[in-house]
Amino acid sequence: MLPDRSGPATIVVEGEKIVRVSGWDEVPDGAVLRDFGRHCLLPGLVDTHVHINEPGRSDWEGFRTATRAAAAGGVTTLVDMPLNCVPETTNVEALEAKRSAARGKAWVDWAAWGGVVHGNADSLPDLVRAGVPGFKCFMIHSGIDGFAWVDESDLRVALERLKGVDVPLLVHAEAAGPVNAATESLNAAHAGWRSYSIYLASRPDEAELDAIALLIRLADECNAHIHIVHLSSARALPLLDAARRRGVRLSVETCLHNLQFASEEIPDGATEFKCAPPIRDAANREALWAALEQGLIDMVTTDHSPCPPAMKRREEGRFDQAWGGVSSLGLALPVVWMAMHRRGIGIDRIAEWMAAAPARLAGFQGHKGQLAAGADADLAVFDPEAAWTVTPEDLHFRHKLSPYLGGELRGRVLETWLRGRQIFAGNEFIGEPGGREQVRQ
Ligand SMILES: [Zn+2]
């Protein structure tokens, strides 16, 4: 899957880099030839929305387990979110702590988003100089008390401090007002929190619409690049479309679970599906697919966000008390491909949605996310025909609790190569962790 076409080709690798892409039968003399037959050769995927949780919460996840899950799924670059680690990545010392924690454990390349929280505007230029590719913030309580959410005036201060530095601000776009009001009225009516429909009602579309309307205004006024993470409400699409047509610098991602599941199919008490913003109904899901096909949604990420199983409170099954976050790292390729196949969408679009576009978001274009001369030789070998059922043994992240368990998937990652070296093949990890941090140049 090349940037401009798909078809038989030879990828010529020297050391860590792709040096040339040539015709299928143009193999340089003396080269060691690996023929992948009729399988798909994709650029190693880039997942810009992952919660690794280390340092500080390595009982939730960690560099070793998260990056193994990535390697097994053909993902060769992860960008870690700044909130679940302790200390949160809101200043350079915390970034250094993450760098030490990752040493010798990462099977794939990685980077760290910095955090924008209430009161840390002075740290933002230092974090940019230290190499973060951009920042993440919340407009509602993040679930982590140490990662304070931001209001409009905090956002203005942060965007002012980042003026002239071309890094994106990633935003969890839910406004607190509609969520709090809905939750209070559900509680007043003694709602049964084991029901997914109650949880869905507690996080209405209006929360996303209000937040996105404000973000469009700020991106426009401050000429900033704002990136909407995990868009769930398809009702926000017309707003985003109109703003982008006016030239407002917005990018948009949605996640595997928004594209795969539908709220009406989530069983009561199944808290492994809980995330925020929530998974909405099947009509909403189809509208997200249409927006992805039209290019209004730029990319697909996992938002892999695990916790210890006890925190999912599976016995009580109360959606108000369970930790929010879906575990899915390593499953993205077969999940998205299966859904594309059902909808008659050609497989070649996957390289843009899951490798090239996220690489651009993080400023890694040219190095990551495409099979082209000059890029790192990060490769995923994928059999698009394989049919399989997800078992706990297929999950390489720390806790084997995921809504995808037991699910039927289409397509399987056979091999993963990181910078010219095979790191995963035949369900085995090869060699030692050789992942490197990617910093903004
Ligand atoms: Zn997240």
Side-chain angles (χ1 to χ4, degrees), residues 10 42 75 77 79 96 99 101 110 116 159 177 191 196 227 243 273 279 291 347 353 388 396 426 439:
T10 296
L42 292 97
V75 183
T77 309
V79 191
E96 292 299 341
R99 287 171 169 165
W110 67 280
V116 168
L159 292 173
Y196 187 81
H227 175 78
F273 289 87
I279 295 161
I347 195 167
W353 294 341
W388 57 292
H396 296 282
V439 295

Side-chain angles (χ1 to χ4, degrees), residues 3 46 48 113 133 166 168 225 251 298-299 351-353 355-366 368-370:
V46 177
T48 49
W113 296 118
D166 198 20
H225 174 185
S251 51
D298 303 280
M299 65 192 78
E352 168 66 17
W353 294 341
R360 282 196 300 276
L361 175 69
F364 301 153
Q365 64 273 25
K368 296 291 186 189
Q370 57 177 8

Side-chain angles (χ1 to χ4, degrees), residues 279-343:
I279 295 161
R280 302 189 192 278
D281 66 17
N284 184 85
R285 175 182 66 193
E286 296 314 308
L288 293 177
W289 272 107
L292 190 60
E293 277 201 84
Q294 288 156 17
L296 180 51
I297 294 175
D298 303 280
M299 65 192 78
V300 181
T301 63
T302 60
D303 192 9
H304 171 73
S305 186
C307 66
M311 291 181 68
K312 278 291 186 186
R313 315 277 289 251
R314 202 57 180 77
E315 291 72 43
E316 305 102 299
R318 285 188 54 159
F319 282 97
D320 56 338
Q321 292 175 356
W323 181 262
V326 173
S327 296
S328 58
L329 194 53
L331 300 174
L333 207 41
V335 167
V336 173
W337 162 233
M338 182 176 67
M340 290 167 74
H341 183 73
R342 277 193 196 136
R343 289 169 177 81

Side-chain angles (χ1 to χ4, degrees), residues 240-268:
L240 291 164
D241 190 26
R244 280 169 58 139
R245 281 173 196 277
R246 293 205 318 276
V248 182
R249 295 169 66 207
L250 292 164
S251 51
V252 185
E253 77 183 36
T254 193
C255 299
L256 290 198
H257 43 263
N258 304 104
L259 294 169
Q260 173 72 1
F261 301 119
S263 54
E264 55 271 46
E265 293 159 9
I266 298 177
D268 285 355

Side-chain angles (χ1 to χ4, degrees), residues 159-198:
L159 292 173
E160 191 56 44
R161 296 306 297 268
L162 292 171
K163 217 163 218 158
V165 188
D166 198 20
V167 297
L169 178 61
L170 285 67
V171 188
H172 179 123
E174 281 185 296
V179 172
N180 293 343
T183 305
E184 274 164 36
S185 68
L186 288 164
N187 280 333
H190 305 287
W193 284 101
R194 280 183 50 80
S195 157
Y196 187 81
S197 63
I198 296 298

Side-chain angles (χ1 to χ4, degrees), residues 49 51 81 136 230 303 305:
H49 195 152
H51 298 262
M81 284 297 174
K136 163 79 181 292
H230 50 44
D303 192 9
S305 186

